[in-house]
């Protein structure tokens, strides 16, 4: 246990110094699975934020637990979205094993794309969301973004297709129309 904690401190120091390869080497030597998982998460997050997506993805593949790996992949996809790598983020999101986390990641990507005015692509992404609640939320956000962009007819068409949150979407569209 104490060896795991020492290796954790070494790995964390390497992450802070930007020495991601050395941090990864130290992390892989950590025997305690929980501690190793925490350190790998930190490394994946730091490498993704640094734009080293290939390394971040390599780190993500080292997770034995599918749920933990899914959360890490979500973080990597979100970092990709922040720098405009939408296509790659979508590819990563679709590889997330946990359906709920995958749905949430696709929702987040669709929302960002809608805010950027990329409505058609946002709608395509939203249709890939398996969870009905999360898909409805994404469609609501897309419809609102369309209304804010003064595409009222399209926004209303989308709102009518929303299974859940329809009244909320219609209320927000009405507010946008009143401001126009």
């Amino acid at each position: 246990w104490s060896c795991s904690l020492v290796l954790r401190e070494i790995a964390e120091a390497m992450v802070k110094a930007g020495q991601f390869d050395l941090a990864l080497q130290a992390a892989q030597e950590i025997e305690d699975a929980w501690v190793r998982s925490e350190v790998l998460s930190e490394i994946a997050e730091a490498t993704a934020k640094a734009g080293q997506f290939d390394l971040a993805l390599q780190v993500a593949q080292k997770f034995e637990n599918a749920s933990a790996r899914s959360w890490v992949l979500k973080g990597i996809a979100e970092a990709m979205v922040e720098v405009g790598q939408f296509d790659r983020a979508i590819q990563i999101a679709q590889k997330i094993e946990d359906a709920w986390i995958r749905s949430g990641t696709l929702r987040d990507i669709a929302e960002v794309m809608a805010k950027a005015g990329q409505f058609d692509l946002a709608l395509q992404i939203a249709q890939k969301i398996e969870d009905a609640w999360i898909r409805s939320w994404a469609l609501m956000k897309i419809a609102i973004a369309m209304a804010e962009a003064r595409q009222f007819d399209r926004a209303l068409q989308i709102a009518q297709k929303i299974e859940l949150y329809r009244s909320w979407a219609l209320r927000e569209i009405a507010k946008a129309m009143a401001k126009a």
Side-chain angles (χ1 to χ4, degrees):
W1 174 254
S2 63
C3 184
S4 291
L5 296 179
V6 170
L7 286 168
R8 175 190 188 146
E9 288 182 24
I10 292 169
E12 289 173 343
M14 293 293 104
V15 167
K16 288 178 184 172
Q19 299 292 320
F20 302 125
D21 290 330
L22 293 174
L24 186 54
Q25 287 176 14
Q28 290 176 304
E29 297 298 320
I30 296 172
E31 292 180 19
D32 184 90
W34 186 78
V35 174
R36 183 175 56 250
S37 180
E38 277 191 332
V39 173
L40 287 173
S41 291
E42 291 176 29
I43 295 169
E45 180 181 338
T47 54
K49 285 182 179 177
Q52 295 186 23
F53 299 120
D54 291 332
L55 183 55
L57 291 168
Q58 287 175 17
V59 173
Q61 294 313 311
K62 300 200 179 297
F63 282 84
E64 297 159 18
N65 180 288
S67 181
R69 186 172 43 254
S70 294
W71 281 111
V72 170
L73 289 172
K74 176 179 178 50
I76 295 168
E78 289 172 352
M80 289 175 172
V81 167
E82 288 179 21
V83 296
Q85 291 192 20
F86 296 116
D87 291 339
R88 196 159 181 212
I90 294 165
Q91 290 173 354
I92 298 306
Q94 291 178 313
K95 292 179 183 177
I96 294 173
E97 296 163 75
D98 184 290
W100 187 79
I101 298 170
R102 181 175 53 249
S103 290
T105 305
L106 289 169
R107 175 207 56 218
D108 295 345
I109 296 169
E111 285 184 37
V112 170
M113 296 188 88
K115 288 178 184 175
Q118 296 184 23
F119 302 124
D120 292 332
L121 196 48
L123 287 168
Q124 288 174 16
I125 295 165
Q127 294 308 317
K128 295 177 183 185
I129 298 171
E130 300 158 60
D131 184 277
W133 288 92
I134 297 173
R135 182 178 51 254
S136 292
W137 182 269
L139 289 171
M140 177 191 69
K141 290 294 195 168
I142 294 167
I144 291 168
M146 287 176 168
E148 290 171 350
R150 297 179 183 237
Q151 293 189 18
F152 301 120
D153 289 341
R154 274 190 87 191
L156 289 168
Q157 288 173 352
I158 298 304
Q160 292 303 322
K161 295 177 184 176
I162 298 173
E163 299 168 50
L164 311 160
Y165 308 115
R166 181 181 301 136
S167 60
W168 189 350
L170 291 169
R171 183 179 64 237
E172 294 302 314
I173 293 168
K175 286 180 188 178
M177 291 172 87
K179 288 181 186 177

